[in-house]
Amino acid sequence: MNANSDVRFPAVSVIMPVLNEERHLRGAVEAILAQEYDGEMEVVIALGPSTDRTDEIAAQLVRDDPRVHTVPNPTGRTPAALNAAIKASRHPIVVRVDGHGMLSPDYIATAVRLLEETGAQNVGGIMHAEGENAWEHAVAAAMTSKIGVGNAAFHTGGQAGPAETVYLGVFRREALEQQGGYNEEFIRAQDWELNFRIREAGGLIWFSPDLRVSYRPRPNVKALAKQYKDYGRWRHVVARYHEGSINLRYLAPPTAVCAIAAGIVVGAAVTPWALVVPGGYLAAIVAGSLPAGKGLPLAARLRIPVALATMHMSWGWGFLTSPKSLAKRVIASRRPAVVTTG
């Protein structure tokens, strides 16, 4: 901690991995710089090889405010970006933010208070999906409904308390250094995997609905499908790498994919009664979309079943087709390099 830091307001490093974020980067950084927090703050942006105006916008942000810095991330991979930004940062509290995430005004102050009150190594809150058009509104509704994501508190909300994982996270630096930072072999699911290691070492992960980050959903079906396929693929890698880390919620999508595929094949080849399974699934997501879409325009409500099916089927397919070679590569890799203050 810096000598001039108030113990009530420890200095904070905000780390941000970015790649092709010209649409949201400026707003995300401005929301950080406008935080209602009395402690010292820095923002470290890890720049991947973007093909849009992200680097130009980041350079302007650096010129506009001395608290903003950048570091290169030539791989473009999120965990490598996070480790690079952690290494380049200086302060005892590390706040992870994405280039398309918008912090609520009291986010950092609330997180620092919760770290002190709970003794947790990492605190986090709600991934509050918000859309800007009919499709994004539909995805946001799907991502914040239990039929879309199960009982994950960081999507749907809930009571404050210990958690398996949280969205993004506000860490004590010593917890990151103890674990050697993020495992760079985990292209996806690196948050869940890091939080698992922290918990295995006896650390506390704390969820609070008072922490809220606005999130912009993927802009089309193809991008959403890729996102959720990657989620499922890498969640299976975590399950192989860390025994005992799987639960029934994660098995629901691959089970649904298998049941629906079997129902269609048997229904077409043997008996139409088997089509009850895919038909039942379709009826379930249509029914589930009604409360999820309450208050939304008709164009958004009509797209919610498409968003739900895309999320479920893509996650399940990714989980089922996740190659064992990925887990072998992770297991064979060395322990992540210790991340220390630069």
Side-chain angles (χ1 to χ4, degrees):
M1 185 180 299
N2 292 355
N4 61 350
S5 293
D6 188 320
V7 293
R8 296 170 301 168
F9 304 104
V12 169
S13 296
V14 182
I15 59 171
M16 178 182 286
V18 299
L19 180 68
N20 294 325
E21 288 287 1
E22 67 173 4
R23 183 180 175 192
H24 301 298
L25 179 59
R26 179 173 294 277
V29 173
E30 288 175 348
I32 296 167
L33 298 176
Q35 285 289 295
E36 299 168 356
Y37 186 68
D38 292 332
E40 184 179 350
M41 184 191 307
E42 66 175 351
V43 181
V44 182
I45 304 171
L47 294 170
S50 296
T51 57
D52 62 7
R53 296 180 55 250
T54 296
D55 287 10
E56 177 186 337
I57 294 168
Q60 185 61 55
L61 289 166
V62 170
R63 290 192 292 269
D64 290 346
D65 197 302
R67 294 174 292 176
V68 182
H69 314 281
T70 61
V71 293
N73 173 36
T75 70
R77 293 181 174 183
T78 299
L82 292 166
N83 282 344
I86 294 167
K87 186 175 181 180
S89 66
R90 304 178 288 133
H91 297 321
I93 304 298
V94 179
V95 180
R96 180 189 168 175
V97 184
D98 282 343
H100 46 270
M102 301 288 288
L103 300 185
S104 55
D106 63 345
Y107 181 89
I108 291 177
T110 301
V112 169
R113 173 178 58 80
L114 288 170
L115 283 172
E116 178 63 26
E117 290 178 354
T118 65
Q121 301 299 304
N122 179 22
V123 300
I126 294 176
M127 177 184 180
H128 182 64
E130 295 180 338
E132 297 180 342
N133 53 47
W135 168 252
E136 291 180 2
H137 285 309
V139 177
M143 292 179 70
T144 54
S145 68
K146 289 189 175 182
I147 192 172
V149 294
N151 62 349
F154 68 86
H155 280 297
T156 61
Q159 296 295 315
E164 289 185 343
T165 192
V166 290
Y167 181 53
L168 302 179
V170 178
F171 299 84
R172 299 180 189 272
R173 179 178 290 276
E174 60 261 30
L176 294 172
E177 292 181 348
Q178 180 186 28
Q179 294 302 323
Y182 291 84
N183 188 325
E184 295 185 15
E185 292 294 331
F186 282 88
I187 299 173
R188 296 287 185 271
Q190 65 274 155
D191 295 295
W192 206 104
E193 195 273 339
L194 173 59
N195 284 319
F196 183 88
R197 284 188 280 127
I198 291 174
R199 289 189 290 108
E200 286 288 283
L204 174 65
I205 310 298
W206 188 266
F207 166 80
S208 173
D210 294 336
L211 296 172
R212 191 181 186 94
V213 183
S214 295
Y215 168 87
R216 298 292 186 261
R218 295 297 193 270
N220 52 56
V221 173
K222 182 179 179 180
L224 183 68
K226 183 181 185 306
Q227 178 188 18
Y228 272 78
K229 179 184 175 183
D230 286 345
Y231 282 171
R233 174 186 176 102
W234 284 94
R235 188 62 190 82
H236 201 166
V237 176
V238 176
R240 293 188 183 114
Y241 187 47
H242 295 298
E243 292 184 6
S245 65
I246 200 70
N247 61 43
L248 292 177
R249 175 163 64 90
Y250 297 114
L251 296 177
T255 300
V257 169
C258 292
I260 291 169
I264 292 173
V265 170
V266 175
V270 181
T271 172
W273 284 106
L275 296 174
V276 169
V277 176
Y281 172 77
L282 179 61
I285 61 172
V286 169
S289 71
L290 298 178
K294 187 176 181 180
L296 291 179
L298 178 61
R301 296 202 304 271
L302 291 175
R303 288 167 170 79
I304 294 176
V306 178
L308 288 170
T310 301
M311 290 161 57
H312 294 162
M313 297 298 103
S314 300
W315 202 103
W317 181 250
F319 189 94
L320 289 168
T321 59
S322 177
K324 291 184 178 180
S325 58
L326 286 177
K328 290 178 181 178
R329 188 177 68 192
V330 169
I331 293 169
S333 69
R334 64 180 175 85
R335 181 178 177 81
V338 174
V339 177
T340 57
T341 304

